[in-house]
């Protein structure tokens, strides 16, 4: 009990001393006594559980709060920071603030105040100094004794001045604060200062233009100087700043990547712009024995050998001109490297839509239209013999001639803008490899920069469909744009040595070409679906002479023909002439294939139905005026004399014309077409027999005609 009373008395005396010292302003000694008293109270409370020690502990806690408040007042009186006026005032005498810092450290409060001081310095000095005013102006630091403030007037942004001001800021703190505050302050303040410096000024200081990088060397030197100044003070964050300096090439590449991708987004957002007509030129060296060379040697007219006096285009007559059509097709269609890329793989998800058609391979010779040449234009002699004498008088085996093939088509401004961005990157790669930039070693920047064209093309492919879809001809424009861009990219690759070039564009060229073909395929599939839906309205032409089915059949054929002509008008302003004819020919092939199947499925065709079906066929045959050959500017031949190229671009065109002839012919005429005409080239024997049985009633004449046809076929 006596010991307990003695402990109580000792604590009461200590509390009295603390109160006296606090009132006298000797806070440091009062804090030391208070800390000792708090320890004794803690031990006494564990040994003697009486209310007296609890009351004394409450009194001691109140004294501690009073001392903390007094320390805070002295701290804020010594370090005055005004964020409104951007002013920092520090004490002239370091001893009082040093004592306050020691007292706070004893109480465990110094770090909390250091963090608060850092936040105030950031808001009052760092942020206003680092942030640009009115876009390109900045305020400067002014030191007046123990006061630091920002000037009211703004001057043009200047990196050396900024580094000088930051060095002044650090020197000001180091000179006007005691080490007990500066050391912990530097550990908290410097990482924040460097981070703000990088994010607000240094990142934007890296020039995007390669020509301005030489001027950036001075900026880099200033940053290096600031880093060395930090190291001389023994303050942290020097490594953080040096790491950023080492990453300048990578940061520049990242900035180029971001700006380039943003330019693609803006380019696509602006839309098509002006439609531009471009020319595709290909030069080939051919021998005199080449059929194209022979055709040119015999006639300068594009459609020479096609026209006759009456201008008719019956199946018999067209068959007699197959070789000539083959020559023209070879010149107009196959001249663009039809077989060069036939084996290129496209995505498996699109193979189903391309099966059975040449949509993804039509136009510009990117695919293989060998099926057209073989199935519809069999090789036959037209009576012309290739000349053995070359134009220069040399032997035909050795004669060669250089032929230039040209076609015009339309593109949007989007691929032009994409190509310009890629060319800028390519030129920068060359410049970096040639120049001697101290902050830009080629090995550190070129690999990342060479990846920028790949990113641009990936973003173009990912975003293009959405932007092109707003136009009715969007898919066809996208197809043209992709193939034009492919040609330009191939020129870039061919002009650079594979060993020296770090550009890896081959995969992107293949992907871009496939992307354009898929767009073309989607458009063709869409148009085919529309045409098939229109023809489905005829319901297979059953009862085509009986109302209301006759009206439905008339409407189906009429709207389908109008659709073909409307499509021709739309695509005429987009595709090249050969691509236009190939695309339209593919749609027309879909039409005639369906009609042939529908007619062959009819087991009984009356005479009125035959006449109506013949009228439908003639309506469709009339669209061959869309397939007239393109006349050269210097041509003297009349457009009326030109023979349509329908048979070249529509594989089943002869077959369809023969169907029209069969529907409107007698048994004698059909037998003549089989024995002396070209009907057997387009139809099998059983197909002709089935058509005869559907068109003519069973009779001795029908049986005799069928027998004659079978015997002529050796059956």
């Amino acid at each position: 009990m006596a010991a307990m009373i003695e402990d109580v008395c000792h604590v009461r005396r200590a509390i009295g001393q603390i109160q006296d010292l606090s009132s006298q302003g000797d806070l440091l000694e009062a804090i030391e006594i208070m800390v000792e008293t708090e320890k004794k109270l803690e031990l006494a409370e564990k040994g003697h559980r009486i209310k007296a020690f609890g009351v004394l502990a409450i009194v001691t806690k109140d004294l501690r709060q009073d001392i903390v408040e007094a320390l805070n007042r002295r701290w804020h009186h010594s370090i005055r920071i005004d964020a409104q006026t951007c002013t920092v005032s520090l004490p002239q005498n370091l001893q009082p603030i040093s004592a306050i810092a020691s007292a706070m450290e004893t109480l465990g409060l110094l770090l909390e105040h250091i963090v608060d001081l850092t936040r105030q310095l950031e808001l009052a000095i760092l942020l206003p100094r680092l942030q640009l005013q009115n876009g390109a102006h900045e305020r400067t630091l002014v030191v007046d004794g123990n006061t630091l403030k920002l000037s009211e007037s703004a001057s043009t942004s200047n990196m050396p001045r900024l580094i000088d001001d930051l060095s002044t800021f650090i020197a000001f703190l180091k000179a006007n604060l005691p080490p007990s505050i500066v050391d912990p302050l530097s550990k908290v303040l410097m990482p924040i200062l460097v981070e703000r410096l990088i994010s607000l000024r240094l990142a934007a200081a890296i020039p995007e233009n390669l020509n301005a990088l030489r001027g950036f060397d001075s900026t880099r030197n200033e940053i290096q100087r600031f880093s060395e100044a930090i190291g001389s003070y023994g303050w942290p964050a020097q490594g953080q700043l040096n790491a950023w300096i080492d990453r300048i090439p990578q940061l520049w590449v990242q900035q180029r990547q971001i700006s380039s991708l943003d330019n693609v987004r803006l380019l696509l957002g602006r839309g098509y712009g002006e439609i531009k007509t471009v020319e595709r030129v290909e030069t080939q060296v051919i021998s005199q024995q080449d059929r194209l060379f022979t055709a040119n040697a015999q006639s300068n007219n594009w459609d020479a050998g096609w026209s006759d006096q009456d201008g008719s285009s019956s199946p018999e007559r067209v068959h007699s001109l197959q070789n000539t059509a083959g020559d023209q097709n070879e010149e107009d269609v196959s001249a663009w490297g039809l077989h060069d890329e036939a084996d290129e793989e496209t995505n498996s998800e699109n193979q189903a839509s391309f099966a059975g058609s040449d949509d993804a391979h039509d136009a510009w010779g990117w695919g293989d239209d060998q099926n057209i040449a073989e199935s519809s234009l069999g090789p036959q002699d037209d009576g012309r013999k290739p000349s053995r004498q070359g134009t220069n008088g040399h032997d035909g085996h050795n004669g060669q001639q250089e032929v230039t093939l040209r076609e015009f088509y339309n593109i949007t401004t989007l691929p032009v803008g994409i190509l310009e961005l890629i060319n800028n990157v390519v030129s920068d790669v060359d410049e970096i490899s040639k120049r001697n930039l101290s902050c830009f070693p080629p090995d550190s920047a070129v690999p990342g920069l060479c990846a920028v064209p790949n990113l641009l093309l990936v973003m173009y492919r990912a975003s293009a469909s959405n932007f092109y879809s707003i136009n009715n001809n969007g898919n066809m424009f996208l197809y043209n744009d992709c193939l034009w861009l492919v040609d330009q990219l191939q020129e870039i690759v061919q002009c650079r040595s594979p060993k020296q070039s770090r550009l890896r564009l081959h995969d992107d060229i293949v992907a871009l070409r496939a992307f354009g073909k898929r767009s073309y395929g989607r458009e063709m599939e869409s148009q085919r679906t529309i045409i098939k839906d229109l023809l489905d309205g005829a319901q297979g032409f059953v009862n085509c002479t009986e109302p209301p089915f006759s009206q439905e059949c008339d409407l189906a054929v009429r709207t389908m023909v109008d659709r073909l002509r409307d499509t021709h008008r739309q695509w005429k302003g987009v595709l090249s002439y050969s691509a236009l004819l190939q695309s339209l020919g593919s749609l027309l092939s879909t039409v005639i294939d369906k009609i042939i199947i529908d007619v062959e499925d009819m087991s009984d065709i009356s005479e009125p139905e035959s006449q109506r079906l013949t009228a439908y066929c003639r309506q469709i045959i009339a669209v061959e005026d869309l397939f007239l050959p393109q006349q050269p500017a210097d041509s003297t031949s009349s457009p009326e004399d030109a023979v349509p190229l329908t048979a070249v671009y529509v594989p089943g065109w002869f077959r369809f014309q023969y169907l029209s002839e069969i529907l409107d012919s007698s048994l004698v005429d059909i037998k003549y077409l089989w024995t002396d005409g070209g009907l057997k080239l387009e139809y099998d024997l059983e197909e002709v027999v089935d058509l005869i049985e559907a068109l003519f009633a069973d009779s001795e004449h029908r049986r005799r005609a069928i027998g004659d046809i079978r015997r002529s076929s050796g059956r």
Side-chain angles (χ1 to χ4, degrees), residues 291-413:
R291 293 166 65 186
L292 174 61
F293 185 90
T294 305
N296 288 341
Q298 293 185 7
S299 174
N300 293 327
N301 290 334
W302 195 94
D303 58 348
W306 283 88
S307 59
D308 59 3
Q309 293 180 355
D310 59 3
S312 62
S313 57
S314 64
E316 293 86 350
R317 178 180 173 279
V318 178
H319 270 299
S320 70
L321 299 174
Q322 286 176 16
N323 283 343
T324 311
D327 291 341
Q328 297 298 341
N329 184 32
E330 187 174 357
E331 179 179 1
D332 191 43
V333 182
S334 303
W336 300 106
L338 287 167
H339 308 291
D340 295 345
E341 297 162 357
D343 297 330
E344 288 187 359
E345 294 183 0
T346 56
N347 293 344
S348 60
E349 63 196 32
N350 298 285
Q351 290 177 353
S353 64
F354 296 151
S357 68
D358 289 337
D359 293 348
H361 307 283
D362 284 346
W364 298 111
W366 294 107
D368 185 1
D369 62 348
Q370 190 174 15
N371 295 331
I372 296 178
E374 292 179 353
S375 63
S376 62
L377 295 176
Q380 293 190 14
D381 189 6
D382 61 358
R384 298 182 304 180
K385 299 298 182 182
S387 174
R388 288 291 182 180
Q389 187 73 16
T391 56
N392 56 2
H394 294 292
D395 184 18
H397 289 286
N398 297 325
Q400 289 185 337
Q401 181 175 351
E402 189 176 86
V403 177
T404 300
L405 306 172
R406 302 174 182 271
E407 270 201 314
F408 296 90
Y409 61 103
N410 290 333
I411 63 172
T412 69
T413 57

Side-chain angles (χ1 to χ4, degrees), residues 432-601:
I432 292 175
S433 301
K434 296 176 183 178
R435 290 188 180 186
N436 182 20
L437 300 176
S438 59
C439 64
F440 238 72
D443 292 339
S444 63
V446 170
L449 191 60
C450 286
V452 174
N454 306 89
L455 295 176
L456 296 179
L457 294 174
V458 168
M459 184 172 182
Y460 177 69
R461 296 198 306 270
S463 307
S465 297
N466 294 331
F467 291 95
Y468 280 85
S469 62
I470 61 177
N471 189 287
N472 293 333
N473 295 322
N475 282 325
M476 288 307 188
F477 271 122
L478 180 55
Y479 171 70
N480 281 356
D481 289 355
C482 287
L483 296 189
W484 179 84
L485 190 55
V486 163
D487 287 343
Q488 305 305 312
L489 293 176
Q490 285 178 331
E491 289 184 8
I492 293 177
V493 173
Q494 292 170 0
C495 293
R496 305 175 69 85
S497 171
K499 295 182 179 180
Q500 298 178 354
S501 175
R502 297 189 182 183
L503 293 173
R504 298 294 181 264
L505 294 176
H506 178 267
D507 292 343
D508 289 280
I509 290 174
V510 173
L512 187 62
R513 181 185 293 113
F515 179 67
K517 291 178 180 179
R518 289 197 300 272
S519 175
Y520 177 85
R522 285 194 302 269
E523 180 65 20
M524 292 299 297
E525 189 62 29
S526 174
Q527 296 298 333
R528 261 196 216 93
T529 301
I530 294 173
I531 288 175
K532 288 179 180 179
D533 291 342
L534 294 175
L535 284 178
D536 285 341
Q539 300 180 13
F541 297 99
V542 177
N543 299 323
C544 62
T545 58
E546 300 292 333
F549 301 106
S550 59
Q551 289 86 345
E552 294 294 333
C553 292
D554 292 344
L555 179 63
V557 173
R558 185 171 61 254
T559 54
M560 181 274 301
V561 171
D562 290 342
R563 180 68 188 183
L564 286 176
R565 294 190 179 276
D566 289 341
T567 304
H568 177 271
R569 275 194 296 271
Q570 290 181 9
W571 291 353
K572 188 175 182 180
V574 182
L575 300 174
S576 69
Y577 198 71
S578 65
L580 173 66
L581 297 188
Q582 289 179 29
S583 303
L584 202 65
S586 179
L587 297 182
L588 184 55
S589 179
T590 300
V591 172
I592 64 177
D593 288 346
K594 178 172 175 53
I595 293 177
I596 291 173
I597 292 174
D598 289 342
V599 173
E600 289 181 339
D601 288 342

Side-chain angles (χ1 to χ4, degrees), residues 138-152:
E138 59 185 4
R139 301 165 68 181
T140 58
L141 285 179
V142 176
V143 177
D144 184 9
N146 63 328
T147 300
L148 178 71
K149 63 180 180 179
L150 286 176
S151 64
E152 294 297 333

